[in-house]
PDB file of all heavy atoms in Angstrom:
ATOM      1  N   LYS A   1    -118.994  80.657-130.073  1.00  0.00           N
ATOM      2  CA  LYS A   1    -118.718  79.755-131.197  1.00  0.00           C
ATOM      3  C   LYS A   1    -119.879  78.802-131.423  1.00  0.00           C
ATOM      4  O   LYS A   1    -120.189  78.449-132.560  1.00  0.00           O
ATOM      5  CB  LYS A   1    -117.424  78.990-130.928  1.00  0.00           C
ATOM      6  CG  LYS A   1    -116.192  79.882-130.888  1.00  0.00           C
ATOM      7  CD  LYS A   1    -114.915  79.089-130.653  1.00  0.00           C
ATOM      8  CE  LYS A   1    -113.709  80.014-130.615  1.00  0.00           C
ATOM      9  NZ  LYS A   1    -112.442  79.260-130.432  1.00  0.00           N
ATOM     10  N   TRP A   2    -120.537  78.365-130.346  1.00  0.00           N
ATOM     11  CA  TRP A   2    -121.697  77.501-130.492  1.00  0.00           C
ATOM     12  C   TRP A   2    -122.785  78.196-131.310  1.00  0.00           C
ATOM     13  O   TRP A   2    -123.445  77.565-132.138  1.00  0.00           O
ATOM     14  CB  TRP A   2    -122.271  77.126-129.126  1.00  0.00           C
ATOM     15  CG  TRP A   2    -121.370  76.296-128.276  1.00  0.00           C
ATOM     16  CD1 TRP A   2    -120.163  75.754-128.626  1.00  0.00           C
ATOM     17  CD2 TRP A   2    -121.594  75.923-126.908  1.00  0.00           C
ATOM     18  NE1 TRP A   2    -119.618  75.064-127.573  1.00  0.00           N
ATOM     19  CE2 TRP A   2    -120.479  75.144-126.508  1.00  0.00           C
ATOM     20  CE3 TRP A   2    -122.607  76.166-125.998  1.00  0.00           C
ATOM     21  CZ2 TRP A   2    -120.369  74.603-125.226  1.00  0.00           C
ATOM     22  CZ3 TRP A   2    -122.497  75.639-124.722  1.00  0.00           C
ATOM     23  CH2 TRP A   2    -121.398  74.864-124.338  1.00  0.00           C
ATOM     24  N   VAL A   3    -122.957  79.492-131.101  1.00  0.00           N
ATOM     25  CA  VAL A   3    -124.037  80.233-131.761  1.00  0.00           C
ATOM     26  C   VAL A   3    -123.606  80.795-133.120  1.00  0.00           C
ATOM     27  O   VAL A   3    -124.359  80.708-134.097  1.00  0.00           O
ATOM     28  CB  VAL A   3    -124.533  81.378-130.851  1.00  0.00           C
ATOM     29  CG1 VAL A   3    -125.543  82.258-131.577  1.00  0.00           C
ATOM     30  CG2 VAL A   3    -125.142  80.814-129.574  1.00  0.00           C
ATOM     31  N   PHE A   4    -122.389  81.363-133.193  1.00  0.00           N
ATOM     32  CA  PHE A   4    -121.975  82.083-134.393  1.00  0.00           C
ATOM     33  C   PHE A   4    -120.948  81.330-135.240  1.00  0.00           C
ATOM     34  O   PHE A   4    -120.534  81.830-136.285  1.00  0.00           O
ATOM     35  CB  PHE A   4    -121.410  83.454-133.999  1.00  0.00           C
ATOM     36  CG  PHE A   4    -122.379  84.305-133.237  1.00  0.00           C
ATOM     37  CD1 PHE A   4    -122.209  84.529-131.879  1.00  0.00           C
ATOM     38  CD2 PHE A   4    -123.483  84.862-133.864  1.00  0.00           C
ATOM     39  CE1 PHE A   4    -123.107  85.308-131.159  1.00  0.00           C
ATOM     40  CE2 PHE A   4    -124.391  85.645-133.153  1.00  0.00           C
ATOM     41  CZ  PHE A   4    -124.208  85.867-131.804  1.00  0.00           C
ATOM     42  N   GLY A   5    -120.543  80.135-134.797  1.00  0.00           N
ATOM     43  CA  GLY A   5    -119.614  79.335-135.577  1.00  0.00           C
ATOM     44  C   GLY A   5    -118.203  79.381-135.016  1.00  0.00           C
ATOM     45  O   GLY A   5    -117.836  80.274-134.251  1.00  0.00           O
ATOM     46  N   SER A   6    -117.399  78.411-135.414  1.00  0.00           N
ATOM     47  CA  SER A   6    -116.058  78.251-134.851  1.00  0.00           C
ATOM     48  C   SER A   6    -115.123  79.405-135.195  1.00  0.00           C
ATOM     49  O   SER A   6    -114.085  79.570-134.559  1.00  0.00           O
ATOM     50  CB  SER A   6    -115.450  76.929-135.305  1.00  0.00           C
ATOM     51  OG  SER A   6    -115.428  76.862-136.720  1.00  0.00           O
ATOM     52  N   ASN A   7    -115.460  80.208-136.194  1.00  0.00           N
ATOM     53  CA  ASN A   7    -114.624  81.352-136.578  1.00  0.00           C
ATOM     54  C   ASN A   7    -115.126  82.652-135.966  1.00  0.00           C
ATOM     55  O   ASN A   7    -114.844  83.732-136.501  1.00  0.00           O
ATOM     56  CB  ASN A   7    -114.574  81.479-138.108  1.00  0.00           C
ATOM     57  CG  ASN A   7    -113.869  80.304-138.755  1.00  0.00           C
ATOM     58  OD1 ASN A   7    -112.863  79.806-138.238  1.00  0.00           O
ATOM     59  ND2 ASN A   7    -114.391  79.846-139.880  1.00  0.00           N
ATOM     60  N   PHE A   8    -115.849  82.570-134.866  1.00  0.00           N
ATOM     61  CA  PHE A   8    -116.374  83.767-134.205  1.00  0.00           C
ATOM     62  C   PHE A   8    -115.279  84.817-134.003  1.00  0.00           C
ATOM     63  O   PHE A   8    -114.174  84.510-133.546  1.00  0.00           O
ATOM     64  CB  PHE A   8    -116.978  83.388-132.852  1.00  0.00           C
ATOM     65  CG  PHE A   8    -117.272  84.567-131.968  1.00  0.00           C
ATOM     66  CD1 PHE A   8    -118.356  85.389-132.239  1.00  0.00           C
ATOM     67  CD2 PHE A   8    -116.470  84.858-130.875  1.00  0.00           C
ATOM     68  CE1 PHE A   8    -118.635  86.489-131.427  1.00  0.00           C
ATOM     69  CE2 PHE A   8    -116.739  85.947-130.058  1.00  0.00           C
ATOM     70  CZ  PHE A   8    -117.821  86.764-130.338  1.00  0.00           C
ATOM     71  N   ASP A   9    -115.618  86.055-134.358  1.00  0.00           N
ATOM     72  CA  ASP A   9    -114.698  87.188-134.223  1.00  0.00           C
ATOM     73  C   ASP A   9    -115.293  88.159-133.208  1.00  0.00           C
ATOM     74  O   ASP A   9    -116.316  88.796-133.467  1.00  0.00           O
ATOM     75  CB  ASP A   9    -114.508  87.860-135.582  1.00  0.00           C
ATOM     76  CG  ASP A   9    -113.569  89.059-135.525  1.00  0.00           C
ATOM     77  OD1 ASP A   9    -113.050  89.365-134.428  1.00  0.00           O
ATOM     78  OD2 ASP A   9    -113.371  89.694-136.576  1.00  0.00           O
ATOM     79  N   TYR A  10    -114.664  88.256-132.041  1.00  0.00           N
ATOM     80  CA  TYR A  10    -115.196  89.115-130.981  1.00  0.00           C
ATOM     81  C   TYR A  10    -115.355  90.561-131.438  1.00  0.00           C
ATOM     82  O   TYR A  10    -116.235  91.293-130.970  1.00  0.00           O
ATOM     83  CB  TYR A  10    -114.297  89.050-129.744  1.00  0.00           C
ATOM     84  CG  TYR A  10    -113.067  89.931-129.842  1.00  0.00           C
ATOM     85  CD1 TYR A  10    -113.085  91.236-129.363  1.00  0.00           C
ATOM     86  CD2 TYR A  10    -111.896  89.470-130.437  1.00  0.00           C
ATOM     87  CE1 TYR A  10    -111.975  92.058-129.464  1.00  0.00           C
ATOM     88  CE2 TYR A  10    -110.789  90.275-130.541  1.00  0.00           C
ATOM     89  CZ  TYR A  10    -110.825  91.575-130.063  1.00  0.00           C
ATOM     90  OH  TYR A  10    -109.728  92.383-130.174  1.00  0.00           O
ATOM     91  N   SER A  11    -114.504  91.001-132.369  1.00  0.00           N
ATOM     92  CA  SER A  11    -114.504  92.405-132.768  1.00  0.00           C
ATOM     93  C   SER A  11    -115.777  92.808-133.497  1.00  0.00           C
ATOM     94  O   SER A  11    -116.100  93.994-133.590  1.00  0.00           O
ATOM     95  CB  SER A  11    -113.281  92.706-133.641  1.00  0.00           C
ATOM     96  OG  SER A  11    -113.364  92.037-134.888  1.00  0.00           O
ATOM     97  N   THR A  12    -116.524  91.835-134.007  1.00  0.00           N
ATOM     98  CA  THR A  12    -117.751  92.146-134.744  1.00  0.00           C
ATOM     99  C   THR A  12    -119.011  91.948-133.902  1.00  0.00           C
ATOM    100  O   THR A  12    -120.112  92.159-134.404  1.00  0.00           O
ATOM    101  CB  THR A  12    -117.858  91.251-136.002  1.00  0.00           C
ATOM    102  OG1 THR A  12    -118.013  89.880-135.596  1.00  0.00           O
ATOM    103  CG2 THR A  12    -116.614  91.390-136.875  1.00  0.00           C
ATOM    104  N   PHE A  13    -118.866  91.551-132.642  1.00  0.00           N
ATOM    105  CA  PHE A  13    -120.036  91.240-131.818  1.00  0.00           C
ATOM    106  C   PHE A  13    -120.874  92.484-131.574  1.00  0.00           C
ATOM    107  O   PHE A  13    -120.366  93.527-131.153  1.00  0.00           O
ATOM    108  CB  PHE A  13    -119.592  90.636-130.480  1.00  0.00           C
ATOM    109  CG  PHE A  13    -120.735  90.196-129.603  1.00  0.00           C
ATOM    110  CD1 PHE A  13    -121.406  89.016-129.861  1.00  0.00           C
ATOM    111  CD2 PHE A  13    -121.139  90.970-128.528  1.00  0.00           C
ATOM    112  CE1 PHE A  13    -122.465  88.600-129.059  1.00  0.00           C
ATOM    113  CE2 PHE A  13    -122.189  90.568-127.715  1.00  0.00           C
ATOM    114  CZ  PHE A  13    -122.855  89.382-127.991  1.00  0.00           C
ATOM    115  N   ASP A  14    -122.177  92.379-131.829  1.00  0.00           N
ATOM    116  CA  ASP A  14    -123.121  93.458-131.604  1.00  0.00           C
ATOM    117  C   ASP A  14    -123.837  93.203-130.278  1.00  0.00           C
ATOM    118  O   ASP A  14    -124.529  92.193-130.122  1.00  0.00           O
ATOM    119  CB  ASP A  14    -124.129  93.508-132.754  1.00  0.00           C
ATOM    120  CG  ASP A  14    -125.093  94.680-132.646  1.00  0.00           C
ATOM    121  OD1 ASP A  14    -125.832  94.743-131.642  1.00  0.00           O
ATOM    122  OD2 ASP A  14    -125.105  95.520-133.564  1.00  0.00           O
ATOM    123  N   PHE A  15    -123.681  94.123-129.324  1.00  0.00           N
ATOM    124  CA  PHE A  15    -124.219  93.920-127.980  1.00  0.00           C
ATOM    125  C   PHE A  15    -125.745  94.057-127.923  1.00  0.00           C
ATOM    126  O   PHE A  15    -126.333  93.855-126.860  1.00  0.00           O
ATOM    127  CB  PHE A  15    -123.558  94.886-126.997  1.00  0.00           C
ATOM    128  CG  PHE A  15    -122.116  94.570-126.722  1.00  0.00           C
ATOM    129  CD1 PHE A  15    -121.100  95.180-127.457  1.00  0.00           C
ATOM    130  CD2 PHE A  15    -121.761  93.640-125.757  1.00  0.00           C
ATOM    131  CE1 PHE A  15    -119.767  94.883-127.214  1.00  0.00           C
ATOM    132  CE2 PHE A  15    -120.431  93.330-125.514  1.00  0.00           C
ATOM    133  CZ  PHE A  15    -119.425  93.953-126.248  1.00  0.00           C
ATOM    134  N   ASP A  16    -126.364  94.359-129.018  1.00  0.00           N
ATOM    135  CA  ASP A  16    -127.819  94.385-129.098  1.00  0.00           C
ATOM    136  C   ASP A  16    -128.317  93.157-129.853  1.00  0.00           C
ATOM    137  O   ASP A  16    -128.831  92.200-129.256  1.00  0.00           O
ATOM    138  CB  ASP A  16    -128.277  95.670-129.792  1.00  0.00           C
ATOM    139  CG  ASP A  16    -129.794  95.756-129.964  1.00  0.00           C
ATOM    140  OD1 ASP A  16    -130.527  95.068-129.226  1.00  0.00           O
ATOM    141  OD2 ASP A  16    -130.233  96.529-130.838  1.00  0.00           O
ATOM    142  N   ARG A  17    -128.132  93.149-131.136  1.00  0.00           N
ATOM    143  CA  ARG A  17    -128.678  92.088-131.995  1.00  0.00           C
ATOM    144  C   ARG A  17    -128.062  90.730-131.694  1.00  0.00           C
ATOM    145  O   ARG A  17    -128.772  89.726-131.538  1.00  0.00           O
ATOM    146  CB  ARG A  17    -128.449  92.464-133.454  1.00  0.00           C
ATOM    147  CG  ARG A  17    -128.984  91.480-134.475  1.00  0.00           C
ATOM    148  CD  ARG A  17    -128.604  91.886-135.891  1.00  0.00           C
ATOM    149  NE  ARG A  17    -127.158  91.882-136.103  1.00  0.00           N
ATOM    150  CZ  ARG A  17    -126.403  92.971-136.177  1.00  0.00           C
ATOM    151  NH1 ARG A  17    -126.950  94.159-136.056  1.00  0.00           N
ATOM    152  NH2 ARG A  17    -125.093  92.889-136.375  1.00  0.00           N
ATOM    153  N   ASP A  18    -126.734  90.663-131.610  1.00  0.00           N
ATOM    154  CA  ASP A  18    -126.071  89.375-131.393  1.00  0.00           C
ATOM    155  C   ASP A  18    -126.332  88.834-129.988  1.00  0.00           C
ATOM    156  O   ASP A  18    -126.445  87.618-129.789  1.00  0.00           O
ATOM    157  CB  ASP A  18    -124.563  89.499-131.638  1.00  0.00           C
ATOM    158  CG  ASP A  18    -124.229  89.720-133.113  1.00  0.00           C
ATOM    159  OD1 ASP A  18    -125.092  89.447-133.963  1.00  0.00           O
ATOM    160  OD2 ASP A  18    -123.099  90.179-133.408  1.00  0.00           O
ATOM    161  N   GLN A  19    -126.433  89.750-129.015  1.00  0.00           N
ATOM    162  CA  GLN A  19    -126.752  89.297-127.657  1.00  0.00           C
ATOM    163  C   GLN A  19    -128.124  88.649-127.610  1.00  0.00           C
ATOM    164  O   GLN A  19    -128.331  87.616-126.971  1.00  0.00           O
ATOM    165  CB  GLN A  19    -126.693  90.462-126.676  1.00  0.00           C
ATOM    166  CG  GLN A  19    -126.895  90.072-125.212  1.00  0.00           C
ATOM    167  CD  GLN A  19    -125.758  89.224-124.672  1.00  0.00           C
ATOM    168  OE1 GLN A  19    -124.587  89.586-124.811  1.00  0.00           O
ATOM    169  NE2 GLN A  19    -126.078  88.095-124.061  1.00  0.00           N
ATOM    170  N   ASP A  20    -129.087  89.260-128.314  1.00  0.00           N
ATOM    171  CA  ASP A  20    -130.436  88.684-128.356  1.00  0.00           C
ATOM    172  C   ASP A  20    -130.427  87.297-128.995  1.00  0.00           C
ATOM    173  O   ASP A  20    -131.131  86.384-128.532  1.00  0.00           O
ATOM    174  CB  ASP A  20    -131.376  89.601-129.136  1.00  0.00           C
ATOM    175  CG  ASP A  20    -131.833  90.803-128.326  1.00  0.00           C
ATOM    176  OD1 ASP A  20    -131.575  90.818-127.100  1.00  0.00           O
ATOM    177  OD2 ASP A  20    -132.434  91.724-128.905  1.00  0.00           O
ATOM    178  N   LYS A  21    -129.645  87.138-130.039  1.00  0.00           N
ATOM    179  CA  LYS A  21    -129.583  85.832-130.707  1.00  0.00           C
ATOM    180  C   LYS A  21    -128.998  84.780-129.777  1.00  0.00           C
ATOM    181  O   LYS A  21    -129.529  83.660-129.676  1.00  0.00           O
ATOM    182  CB  LYS A  21    -128.753  85.924-131.989  1.00  0.00           C
ATOM    183  CG  LYS A  21    -128.673  84.598-132.744  1.00  0.00           C
ATOM    184  CD  LYS A  21    -127.879  84.735-134.041  1.00  0.00           C
ATOM    185  CE  LYS A  21    -127.812  83.400-134.789  1.00  0.00           C
ATOM    186  NZ  LYS A  21    -127.047  83.504-136.054  1.00  0.00           N
ATOM    187  N   MET A  22    -127.910  85.134-129.087  1.00  0.00           N
ATOM    188  CA  MET A  22    -127.291  84.171-128.187  1.00  0.00           C
ATOM    189  C   MET A  22    -128.233  83.811-127.037  1.00  0.00           C
ATOM    190  O   MET A  22    -128.370  82.642-126.670  1.00  0.00           O
ATOM    191  CB  MET A  22    -125.971  84.702-127.638  1.00  0.00           C
ATOM    192  CG  MET A  22    -125.211  83.675-126.806  1.00  0.00           C
ATOM    193  SD  MET A  22    -123.514  84.147-126.496  1.00  0.00           S
ATOM    194  CE  MET A  22    -123.763  85.521-125.407  1.00  0.00           C
ATOM    195  N   ASP A  23    -128.911  84.821-126.500  1.00  0.00           N
ATOM    196  CA  ASP A  23    -129.840  84.561-125.402  1.00  0.00           C
ATOM    197  C   ASP A  23    -130.993  83.664-125.835  1.00  0.00           C
ATOM    198  O   ASP A  23    -131.443  82.795-125.071  1.00  0.00           O
ATOM    199  CB  ASP A  23    -130.382  85.874-124.846  1.00  0.00           C
ATOM    200  CG  ASP A  23    -129.388  86.578-123.934  1.00  0.00           C
ATOM    201  OD1 ASP A  23    -128.425  85.918-123.493  1.00  0.00           O
ATOM    202  OD2 ASP A  23    -129.570  87.773-123.663  1.00  0.00           O
ATOM    203  N   SER A  24    -131.472  83.865-127.051  1.00  0.00           N
ATOM    204  CA  SER A  24    -132.605  83.067-127.506  1.00  0.00           C
ATOM    205  C   SER A  24    -132.248  81.591-127.611  1.00  0.00           C
ATOM    206  O   SER A  24    -133.086  80.717-127.371  1.00  0.00           O
ATOM    207  CB  SER A  24    -133.110  83.580-128.853  1.00  0.00           C
ATOM    208  OG  SER A  24    -132.156  83.348-129.889  1.00  0.00           O
ATOM    209  N   LEU A  25    -130.990  81.301-127.937  1.00  0.00           N
ATOM    210  CA  LEU A  25    -130.556  79.911-128.105  1.00  0.00           C
ATOM    211  C   LEU A  25    -130.034  79.290-126.821  1.00  0.00           C
ATOM    212  O   LEU A  25    -130.278  78.106-126.547  1.00  0.00           O
ATOM    213  CB  LEU A  25    -129.474  79.831-129.187  1.00  0.00           C
ATOM    214  CG  LEU A  25    -129.911  80.097-130.629  1.00  0.00           C
ATOM    215  CD1 LEU A  25    -128.695  80.145-131.554  1.00  0.00           C
ATOM    216  CD2 LEU A  25    -130.880  79.018-131.103  1.00  0.00           C
ATOM    217  N   LEU A  26    -129.294  80.060-126.027  1.00  0.00           N
ATOM    218  CA  LEU A  26    -128.544  79.463-124.918  1.00  0.00           C
ATOM    219  C   LEU A  26    -129.056  79.814-123.526  1.00  0.00           C
ATOM    220  O   LEU A  26    -128.870  79.029-122.587  1.00  0.00           O
ATOM    221  CB  LEU A  26    -127.063  79.857-125.013  1.00  0.00           C
ATOM    222  CG  LEU A  26    -126.304  79.356-126.245  1.00  0.00           C
ATOM    223  CD1 LEU A  26    -124.840  79.767-126.160  1.00  0.00           C
ATOM    224  CD2 LEU A  26    -126.418  77.845-126.387  1.00  0.00           C
ATOM    225  N   ALA A  27    -129.676  80.982-123.361  1.00  0.00           N
ATOM    226  CA  ALA A  27    -130.111  81.358-122.009  1.00  0.00           C
ATOM    227  C   ALA A  27    -131.030  80.319-121.364  1.00  0.00           C
ATOM    228  O   ALA A  27    -130.877  80.014-120.172  1.00  0.00           O
ATOM    229  CB  ALA A  27    -130.786  82.734-122.030  1.00  0.00           C
ATOM    230  N   PRO A  28    -131.972  79.720-122.101  1.00  0.00           N
ATOM    231  CA  PRO A  28    -132.858  78.730-121.452  1.00  0.00           C
ATOM    232  C   PRO A  28    -132.145  77.484-120.943  1.00  0.00           C
ATOM    233  O   PRO A  28    -132.676  76.795-120.063  1.00  0.00           O
ATOM    234  CB  PRO A  28    -133.842  78.374-122.574  1.00  0.00           C
ATOM    235  CG  PRO A  28    -133.821  79.537-123.505  1.00  0.00           C
ATOM    236  CD  PRO A  28    -132.403  80.003-123.483  1.00  0.00           C
ATOM    237  N   ILE A  29    -130.952  77.194-121.475  1.00  0.00           N
ATOM    238  CA  ILE A  29    -130.271  75.965-121.059  1.00  0.00           C
ATOM    239  C   ILE A  29    -129.010  76.223-120.232  1.00  0.00           C
ATOM    240  O   ILE A  29    -128.577  75.342-119.482  1.00  0.00           O
ATOM    241  CB  ILE A  29    -129.919  75.067-122.267  1.00  0.00           C
ATOM    242  CG1 ILE A  29    -129.041  75.817-123.265  1.00  0.00           C
ATOM    243  CG2 ILE A  29    -131.174  74.544-122.926  1.00  0.00           C
ATOM    244  CD1 ILE A  29    -128.582  74.957-124.435  1.00  0.00           C
ATOM    245  N   LEU A  30    -128.423  77.427-120.350  1.00  0.00           N
ATOM    246  CA  LEU A  30    -127.180  77.696-119.621  1.00  0.00           C
ATOM    247  C   LEU A  30    -127.378  78.538-118.376  1.00  0.00           C
ATOM    248  O   LEU A  30    -126.577  78.441-117.433  1.00  0.00           O
ATOM    249  CB  LEU A  30    -126.164  78.406-120.529  1.00  0.00           C
ATOM    250  CG  LEU A  30    -125.665  77.689-121.780  1.00  0.00           C
ATOM    251  CD1 LEU A  30    -124.505  78.469-122.388  1.00  0.00           C
ATOM    252  CD2 LEU A  30    -125.247  76.258-121.486  1.00  0.00           C
ATOM    253  N   ASN A  31    -128.389  79.384-118.352  1.00  0.00           N
ATOM    254  CA  ASN A  31    -128.538  80.330-117.251  1.00  0.00           C
ATOM    255  C   ASN A  31    -129.365  79.745-116.111  1.00  0.00           C
ATOM    256  O   ASN A  31    -130.471  79.244-116.334  1.00  0.00           O
ATOM    257  CB  ASN A  31    -129.182  81.621-117.740  1.00  0.00           C
ATOM    258  CG  ASN A  31    -128.283  82.394-118.693  1.00  0.00           C
ATOM    259  OD1 ASN A  31    -127.113  82.051-118.863  1.00  0.00           O
ATOM    260  ND2 ASN A  31    -128.822  83.432-119.309  1.00  0.00           N
ATOM    261  N   ALA A  32    -128.811  79.819-114.913  1.00  0.00           N
ATOM    262  CA  ALA A  32    -129.514  79.358-113.701  1.00  0.00           C
ATOM    263  C   ALA A  32    -129.975  80.582-112.929  1.00  0.00           C
ATOM    264  O   ALA A  32    -129.470  80.876-111.839  1.00  0.00           O
ATOM    265  CB  ALA A  32    -128.599  78.472-112.862  1.00  0.00           C
ATOM    266  N   ASN A  33    -130.919  81.302-113.499  1.00  0.00           N
ATOM    267  CA  ASN A  33    -131.362  82.582-112.941  1.00  0.00           C
ATOM    268  C   ASN A  33    -132.712  82.524-112.238  1.00  0.00           C
ATOM    269  O   ASN A  33    -133.203  83.556-111.774  1.00  0.00           O
ATOM    270  CB  ASN A  33    -131.440  83.635-114.063  1.00  0.00           C
ATOM    271  CG  ASN A  33    -130.073  84.168-114.456  1.00  0.00           C
ATOM    272  OD1 ASN A  33    -129.159  84.201-113.634  1.00  0.00           O
ATOM    273  ND2 ASN A  33    -129.930  84.585-115.705  1.00  0.00           N
ATOM    274  N   ASN A  34    -133.317  81.354-112.153  1.00  0.00           N
ATOM    275  CA  ASN A  34    -134.647  81.247-111.563  1.00  0.00           C
ATOM    276  C   ASN A  34    -134.585  81.493-110.054  1.00  0.00           C
ATOM    277  O   ASN A  34    -133.945  80.728-109.320  1.00  0.00           O
ATOM    278  CB  ASN A  34    -135.220  79.856-111.850  1.00  0.00           C
ATOM    279  CG  ASN A  34    -136.651  79.702-111.367  1.00  0.00           C
ATOM    280  OD1 ASN A  34    -137.229  80.627-110.789  1.00  0.00           O
ATOM    281  ND2 ASN A  34    -137.231  78.528-111.578  1.00  0.00           N
ATOM    282  N   PRO A  35    -135.267  82.532-109.549  1.00  0.00           N
ATOM    283  CA  PRO A  35    -135.210  82.805-108.103  1.00  0.00           C
ATOM    284  C   PRO A  35    -136.189  81.981-107.275  1.00  0.00           C
ATOM    285  O   PRO A  35    -136.201  82.097-106.040  1.00  0.00           O
ATOM    286  CB  PRO A  35    -135.566  84.288-108.036  1.00  0.00           C
ATOM    287  CG  PRO A  35    -136.508  84.486-109.180  1.00  0.00           C
ATOM    288  CD  PRO A  35    -136.025  83.567-110.274  1.00  0.00           C
ATOM    289  N   ASP A  36    -137.002  81.162-107.937  1.00  0.00           N
ATOM    290  CA  ASP A  36    -137.996  80.366-107.202  1.00  0.00           C
ATOM    291  C   ASP A  36    -137.351  79.091-106.663  1.00  0.00           C
ATOM    292  O   ASP A  36    -137.195  78.099-107.372  1.00  0.00           O
ATOM    293  CB  ASP A  36    -139.166  80.014-108.116  1.00  0.00           C
ATOM    294  CG  ASP A  36    -140.238  79.202-107.387  1.00  0.00           C
ATOM    295  OD1 ASP A  36    -140.144  79.068-106.146  1.00  0.00           O
ATOM    296  OD2 ASP A  36    -141.151  78.695-108.055  1.00  0.00           O
ATOM    297  N   LEU A  37    -136.972  79.121-105.408  1.00  0.00           N
ATOM    298  CA  LEU A  37    -136.345  77.965-104.755  1.00  0.00           C
ATOM    299  C   LEU A  37    -137.289  77.299-103.755  1.00  0.00           C
ATOM    300  O   LEU A  37    -136.846  76.541-102.887  1.00  0.00           O
ATOM    301  CB  LEU A  37    -135.051  78.401-104.054  1.00  0.00           C
ATOM    302  CG  LEU A  37    -133.951  78.953-104.962  1.00  0.00           C
ATOM    303  CD1 LEU A  37    -132.749  79.400-104.130  1.00  0.00           C
ATOM    304  CD2 LEU A  37    -133.513  77.931-105.996  1.00  0.00           C
ATOM    305  N   GLU A  38    -138.563  77.579-103.902  1.00  0.00           N
ATOM    306  CA  GLU A  38    -139.531  77.022-102.968  1.00  0.00           C
ATOM    307  C   GLU A  38    -139.520  75.489-102.939  1.00  0.00           C
ATOM    308  O   GLU A  38    -139.633  74.893-101.858  1.00  0.00           O
ATOM    309  CB  GLU A  38    -140.933  77.537-103.296  1.00  0.00           C
ATOM    310  CG  GLU A  38    -141.972  77.253-102.231  1.00  0.00           C
ATOM    311  CD  GLU A  38    -141.707  77.954-100.896  1.00  0.00           C
ATOM    312  OE1 GLU A  38    -140.930  78.938-100.887  1.00  0.00           O
ATOM    313  OE2 GLU A  38    -142.271  77.519 -99.882  1.00  0.00           O
ATOM    314  N   PRO A  39    -139.367  74.804-104.100  1.00  0.00           N
ATOM    315  CA  PRO A  39    -139.301  73.334-104.040  1.00  0.00           C
ATOM    316  C   PRO A  39    -138.137  72.823-103.196  1.00  0.00           C
ATOM    317  O   PRO A  39    -138.294  71.851-102.448  1.00  0.00           O
ATOM    318  CB  PRO A  39    -139.157  72.931-105.507  1.00  0.00           C
ATOM    319  CG  PRO A  39    -139.817  74.036-106.263  1.00  0.00           C
ATOM    320  CD  PRO A  39    -139.460  75.276-105.495  1.00  0.00           C
ATOM    321  N   LEU A  40    -136.981  73.481-103.289  1.00  0.00           N
ATOM    322  CA  LEU A  40    -135.836  73.090-102.458  1.00  0.00           C
ATOM    323  C   LEU A  40    -136.144  73.321-100.987  1.00  0.00           C
ATOM    324  O   LEU A  40    -135.867  72.469-100.132  1.00  0.00           O
ATOM    325  CB  LEU A  40    -134.593  73.882-102.865  1.00  0.00           C
ATOM    326  CG  LEU A  40    -133.326  73.602-102.051  1.00  0.00           C
ATOM    327  CD1 LEU A  40    -132.741  72.241-102.414  1.00  0.00           C
ATOM    328  CD2 LEU A  40    -132.273  74.695-102.274  1.00  0.00           C
ATOM    329  N   LYS A  41    -136.740  74.450-100.687  1.00  0.00           N
ATOM    330  CA  LYS A  41    -137.074  74.786 -99.303  1.00  0.00           C
ATOM    331  C   LYS A  41    -138.079  73.800 -98.722  1.00  0.00           C
ATOM    332  O   LYS A  41    -137.929  73.329 -97.589  1.00  0.00           O
ATOM    333  CB  LYS A  41    -137.619  76.208 -99.244  1.00  0.00           C
ATOM    334  CG  LYS A  41    -137.980  76.687 -97.849  1.00  0.00           C
ATOM    335  CD  LYS A  41    -138.479  78.127 -97.881  1.00  0.00           C
ATOM    336  CE  LYS A  41    -138.782  78.639 -96.485  1.00  0.00           C
ATOM    337  NZ  LYS A  41    -139.245  80.055 -96.515  1.00  0.00           N
ATOM    338  N   LYS A  42    -139.111  73.458 -99.509  1.00  0.00           N
ATOM    339  CA  LYS A  42    -140.154  72.576 -99.016  1.00  0.00           C
ATOM    340  C   LYS A  42    -139.653  71.173 -98.705  1.00  0.00           C
ATOM    341  O   LYS A  42    -140.166  70.514 -97.798  1.00  0.00           O
ATOM    342  CB  LYS A  42    -141.299  72.515-100.034  1.00  0.00           C
ATOM    343  CG  LYS A  42    -142.193  73.738-100.015  1.00  0.00           C
ATOM    344  CD  LYS A  42    -143.359  73.586-100.987  1.00  0.00           C
ATOM    345  CE  LYS A  42    -144.310  74.770-100.896  1.00  0.00           C
ATOM    346  NZ  LYS A  42    -145.433  74.650-101.852  1.00  0.00           N
TER     347      LYS A  42
END
């Protein structure tokens, strides 16, 4: 809903194009995928 609006319809979601759009907007702020934990270790 944040990306496609409050009337988001799951039935129309495109796992290629729409996934790319969501990732471009939200992955940098929502995903904690960085495997570099060296600062924590140090």
Side-chain angles (χ1 to χ4, degrees):
K1 295 181 180 182
W2 295 354
V3 174
F4 302 107
S6 57
N7 294 321
F8 167 74
D9 180 1
Y10 81 92
S11 67
T12 66
F13 184 77
D14 184 299
F15 290 94
D16 178 22
R17 181 185 63 255
D18 291 342
Q19 185 67 51
D20 282 350
K21 181 178 180 180
M22 186 166 69
D23 282 344
S24 68
L25 291 173
L26 296 183
I29 58 176
L30 298 190
N31 293 351
N33 283 331
N34 185 359
D36 181 9
L37 297 178
E38 192 64 19
L40 178 73
K41 181 178 183 179
K42 283 183 176 179

